[in-house]
Amino acid sequence: MGQSRLPADRRQTHVSTQTELTGVAGWAVDLMERLGGPGAGLVIALENLPPLPSEVILPLAGFTASQGTFTVGGAIFWTTAGSVVGALAIYTLGAVFGRDRFRAVWARLPLVNLEDLDRTEAWFGRHGTKAVFFGRMVPIFRSLISVPAGIERMPLPVFLALTTAGSLLWNTLFVVAGFQLGENWHVVEDYAGVFQKVVLAVVAVAVAWFVVSRVRSQQARRPS
């Protein structure tokens, strides 16, 4: 929708807020204002390439929806579609290049850390499908978890289903929060770190439970 279709009070808020936003935030809002929902999806697809943090972009999508540019449902749909498209692109690169060639390319990119890729590969090696789902809710891992999934040729339907489910949960939380907060969308970023730690804690508990249950099961099978 164009700006002229917004109510007068929202047009005034939109203009004053957009002039205050700079850098990545200002660019993201401008793109979403120009392209609507698909613009939000494009920004999130690019989030797979650092440094576009989803915990900043997603609340901005919710904020833009609150200004009447598109609906909150449209924001969730397009950002989730963008997440899946971006993840699929990284998955494809992992599958095409293979581990060694991808690592060589990744090491040459600016603003990235090879150790993050190492940790992501190790996590995927331990947890497989769980890593793809929960990884969509952890910064850095969100993008990189698609690499080992592609290298190991995880079945594409499984990868897409897990990526969509994890992205939908994460995106909905931040888009709705940004929509509800309106001009105070940036408050969401303050709580993003806490939420990330909660997610990691839940993952750790789930893994611990799995290990304990597996050990107990093996002990029960041993002859007395």
Side-chain angles (χ1 to χ4, degrees):
M1 294 183 182
Q3 182 178 323
S4 60
R5 297 186 181 182
L6 298 177
D9 56 341
R10 287 198 171 185
R11 288 203 301 269
Q12 183 176 1
T13 300
H14 164 69
V15 172
S16 62
T17 303
Q18 185 165 339
T19 57
E20 294 174 2
L21 295 176
T22 59
V24 172
W27 169 79
V29 170
D30 181 66
L31 187 62
M32 287 185 281
E33 289 286 351
R34 291 176 183 273
L35 302 182
L42 177 60
V43 174
I44 288 297
L46 294 175
E47 180 256 336
N48 285 271
L49 302 175
L52 295 177
S54 64
E55 54 269 32
V56 173
I57 301 301
L58 290 170
L60 278 172
F63 159 74
T64 307
S66 74
Q67 303 304 298
T69 305
F70 41 77
T71 66
V72 66
I76 293 171
F77 171 82
W78 284 108
T79 56
T80 301
S83 296
V84 174
V85 169
L88 182 59
I90 302 299
Y91 171 97
T92 302
L93 291 177
V96 171
F97 281 95
R99 185 176 187 275
D100 293 337
R101 290 176 62 190
F102 189 92
R103 288 176 60 84
V105 172
W106 185 261
R108 296 189 181 96
L109 296 177
L111 302 176
V112 298
N113 192 333
L114 198 58
E115 293 179 358
D116 292 330
L117 184 57
D118 292 335
R119 287 194 292 268
T120 306
E121 288 181 334
W123 196 30
F124 180 85
R126 290 193 301 268
H127 309 306
T129 56
K130 299 184 186 68
V132 175
F133 174 76
F134 287 108
R136 298 306 304 175
M137 294 174 260
V138 180
I140 304 298
F141 281 30
R142 283 175 53 81
S143 303
L144 295 183
I145 198 61
S146 302
V147 176
I151 292 173
E152 298 298 328
R153 302 297 179 93
M154 172 182 281
L156 190 57
V158 175
F159 173 78
L160 291 177
L162 292 170
T163 299
T164 300
S167 299
L168 179 62
L169 180 61
W170 178 262
N171 294 0
T172 298
L173 176 67
F174 281 87
V175 168
V176 170
F179 180 82
Q180 294 295 332
L181 289 170
E183 287 187 87
N184 295 319
W185 61 270
H186 53 82
V187 175
V188 179
E189 187 179 3
D190 298 334
Y191 294 95
V194 176
F195 181 76
Q196 292 156 13
K197 292 177 182 178
V198 171
V199 171
L200 290 174
V202 171
V203 173
V205 170
V207 171
W209 176 85
F210 174 79
V211 172
V212 170
S213 61
R214 183 60 59 88
V215 170
R216 288 180 177 176
S217 176
Q218 292 179 348
Q219 290 177 342
R221 295 176 182 175
R222 293 177 182 175
S224 56

